[in-house]
Amino acid sequence: MFWDQEIETLPRPELEQLQLKRLRKTVRKVASETVFYRQKFAETGFKPSAIKSLADLRRLPFTTSADLRANYPDGLLIKGGHDLIRLHTSSGTTGKPKALFFSRKDIDQAAENIARCLTMTGLGKQDILQNMMTYGLFTGALMVHYGAEKLGLMVIPSGPGNSEKQLLLMQDFRTTAIHLTPSYALYFADFIEKRGVDPRKDLALRKAYIGAEPYTEETRRKIEAALGVEVYNCYGLSEMNGPGVAFECDAKQGMHVWEDNYLMEIIDPQTGEPVPDGQTGELVLTSLCREAMPILRYRTRDITAIIPGPCPCGRTHRRLQRITGRSDDMLIVRGANVYPQQIERILMSIPGLGRNYLICLEGLDEMIVKVELSDASFDGQVEHLVKLQSQITEKLRAEILVRPKVELVMPGSLPASEGKAKRVIDKRIL
Ligand code: AMP
Ligand code: ZN
């Protein structure tokens, strides 16, 4: 199913022509109408007339999240010529937030992209979407809300948390689709299991849109099994309108990036040089349709790869692999490079474990992986637990090349998360 078949299946040469036209317009505009890009172009000697083909994108300087913070609040804003109707911020971990402005056209376009995304997974007017993402300064919930309304289905703006009430809404209004973070989905799966709710019999759920933080294929399968839904991976970031930048279609083989809206590049995060299609690196995005606050060559820090070749669904917009983490997520433990996602993948594949875990780094350089047992495996038999513990330790060691200390903890004893989960606590004295 298509929302806008013509644009979603536009032949590549035409799509690329459209991209070039939009890129040139965007570059000219930011050069003359933003304080930040005017200065940056002057410093780097870049001239907008240098963009003659899409390959010339590489002549443009990168924009980083530090640039957004340093030019807070409005250094990247186009001065005038549009109605500003929304502000979002993205806080990250330190310092000033990033301020993101949206014009009426920008909000409309973001909603349009979400309508495309939901339609391509088979959602339609008859569906009821319970939006369990955080409403507020974070773009996650509001953009999906507007897109779903544009599509014309009923949205329940429940926000995250209060699982009791979520379940009641699902039962009373026959919710067919949900939008939430993977960590809350795992928590909610536990919650309904404890209530003795069988989602296949007692609920009308069909689809779950899961994003806002990295998760693994194993986690997808766990959520699908526990909630009786098809899980679709959705990716976005506030700097690029929030969710709806890339989304899985019904084939569930990678996430289509709406290339009429965004130019994507994959670069080596160390050198900044492009890597060939299919190879892993950092995603860099350029907005092509944003009116109030275009951003050029934005270093997302997200690690992924472009999937070469066409998708069975017929869309011509290329796909990204599941995000495996952020380049700034990488932990260095006793000299080895470790991504939290590697640990999650192992934990989610071992039967007998619950759905919550925490990675603690302590002392001189010690890694402790705390993982909840499932209710079923918490049978009080010590030999059983010792065996499970050594099995996990061995599997983790083989994957990350460091031997962590594994602690099995009681079901429900680790902090539960409703929004973005905090999976790593680093208290090392290095
Ligand atoms: P925010 O700007 O607060 O919406 O956060 C955006 C960031 O969330 C992205 O840069 C990614 O690091 C992360 N993110 C969002 N969606 C996904 C996803 N589906 N998989 C992995 N990471 C994601
Ligand atoms: Zn597809």
Side-chain angles (χ1 to χ4, degrees):
M1 268 202 293
F2 293 93
W3 174 256
D4 184 342
Q5 185 159 7
E6 190 187 338
I7 196 82
E8 291 173 46
T9 60
L10 203 62
R12 296 280 324 166
E14 285 168 52
L15 185 55
E16 285 166 16
Q17 240 173 16
L18 181 66
Q19 288 180 318
L20 180 59
K21 194 175 110 199
R22 289 181 171 170
L23 175 65
R24 296 180 68 163
K25 186 172 161 202
T26 306
V27 170
R28 277 199 308 270
K29 190 122 183 138
V30 298
S32 60
E33 293 178 44
T34 68
V35 176
F36 169 72
Y37 283 111
R38 193 186 313 133
Q39 245 172 28
K40 184 122 178 166
F41 290 176
E43 277 163 22
T44 52
F46 172 83
K47 298 256 176 323
S49 56
I51 305 282
K52 297 198 168 59
S53 71
L54 285 177
D56 294 325
L57 180 67
R58 288 183 55 197
R59 298 173 186 270
L60 277 162
F62 290 118
T63 307
T64 63
S65 105
D67 290 329
L68 258 69
R69 288 183 210 286
N71 292 277
Y72 176 89
D74 60 356
L76 279 80
L77 180 66
I78 299 268
K79 302 287 177 216
H82 47 70
D83 315 323
L84 279 188
I85 62 163
R86 180 92 64 82
L87 172 76
H88 281 283
T89 66
S90 174
S91 50
T93 43
T94 50
K96 288 260 191 218
K98 292 168 258 178
L100 290 318
F101 296 92
F102 297 82
S103 69
R104 184 175 305 283
K105 201 167 145 252
D106 293 333
I107 296 285
D108 258 8
Q109 185 61 47
E112 180 78 16
N113 292 350
I114 294 286
R116 286 185 200 171
C117 294
L118 298 177
T119 308
M120 81 176 159
T121 66
L123 216 68
K125 282 188 182 355
Q126 71 292 347
D127 280 289
I128 296 173
L129 175 72
Q130 195 160 320
N131 198 1
M132 300 162 72
M133 249 346 150
T134 306
Y135 278 80
L137 286 169
F138 170 59
T139 47
L142 275 163
M143 293 306 186
V144 167
H145 184 111
Y146 275 59
E149 282 189 352
K150 183 155 203 160
L151 204 165
L153 51 82
M154 189 168 84
V155 187
I156 307 180
S158 61
N162 200 343
S163 301
E164 196 82 54
K165 190 156 155 198
Q166 302 280 5
L167 178 60
L168 201 76
L169 289 165
M170 270 174 210
Q171 286 169 326
D172 292 350
F173 300 99
R174 311 300 296 156
T175 302
T176 59
I178 51 180
H179 173 221
L180 69 174
T181 60
S183 35
Y184 188 39
L186 291 170
Y187 176 81
F188 189 72
D190 267 347
F191 174 84
I192 64 164
E193 191 179 282
K194 286 204 184 81
R195 288 297 148 104
V197 173
D198 176 351
R200 289 172 184 79
K201 281 213 303 272
D202 307 328
L203 301 176
L205 292 182
R206 299 193 295 126
K207 292 172 191 292
Y209 302 101
I210 308 259
E213 58 188 13
Y215 61 109
T216 57
E217 246 348 279
E218 286 73 17
T219 298
R220 181 212 302 261
R221 282 197 286 274
K222 274 210 159 171
I223 299 171
E224 289 188 328
L227 293 178
V229 290
E230 295 277 335
V231 166
Y232 299 90
N233 193 5
C234 42
Y235 166 79
L237 59 161
S238 308
E239 295 84 332
M240 294 285 148
N241 295 341
V245 173
F247 224 84
E248 279 181 330
C249 65
D250 235 1
K252 298 205 288 191
Q253 293 170 16
M255 304 180 286
H256 289 281
V257 172
W258 298 121
E259 291 187 87
D260 58 323
N261 278 250
Y262 304 101
L263 284 177
M264 58 171 166
E265 302 167 79
I266 305 284
I267 61 161
D268 176 327
Q270 255 80 50
T271 63
E273 291 301 313
V275 305
D277 276 10
Q279 216 160 298
T280 302
E282 179 184 334
L283 176 67
V284 173
L285 290 170
T286 297
S287 74
L288 295 175
C289 297
R290 289 184 70 184
E291 187 180 49
M293 194 175 160
I295 304 183
L296 305 174
R297 300 196 85 198
Y298 187 64
R299 301 272 310 245
T300 67
R301 299 279 163 199
D302 292 322
I303 303 295
T304 178
I306 292 177
I307 301 177
C311 181
C313 75
R315 284 176 184 79
T316 49
H317 300 240
R318 287 173 302 166
R319 291 162 296 157
L320 288 179
Q321 266 172 18
R322 180 178 290 287
I323 313 285
T324 50
R326 295 174 53 81
S327 57
D328 43 13
D329 262 1
M330 192 182 76
L331 307 169
I332 302 180
V333 184
R334 285 179 240 148
N337 296 348
V338 178
Y339 283 96
Q341 295 305 295
Q342 294 174 285
I343 296 177
E344 176 178 315
R345 192 165 68 234
I346 300 292
L347 296 179
M348 292 296 155
S349 69
I350 300 176
L353 294 184
R355 301 184 182 106
N356 204 356
Y357 69 93
L358 190 64
I359 301 163
C360 301
L361 300 168
E362 290 180 8
L364 285 175
D365 212 356
E366 199 181 354
M367 178 188 265
I368 301 157
V369 176
K370 299 185 181 182
V371 56
E372 286 184 9
L373 289 163
S374 68
D375 280 322
S377 66
F378 191 61
D379 58 6
Q381 289 219 19
V382 178
E383 318 87 272
H384 177 180
L385 295 182
V386 171
K387 203 168 139 216
L388 186 61
Q389 194 177 29
S390 69
Q391 185 199 359
I392 301 168
T393 312
E394 273 322 303
K395 284 202 166 167
L396 285 175
R397 198 201 54 81
E399 170 71 28
I400 61 176
L401 310 177
V402 173
R403 181 184 292 275
K405 192 168 154 216
V406 172
E407 282 180 14
L408 300 173
V409 302
M410 302 265 282
S413 63
L414 293 175
S417 151
E418 292 161 356
K420 296 195 190 218
K422 187 157 174 52
R423 298 291 194 193
V424 180
I425 296 181
D426 194 344
K427 289 198 257 173
R428 282 177 291 186
I429 359 161
L430 290 178

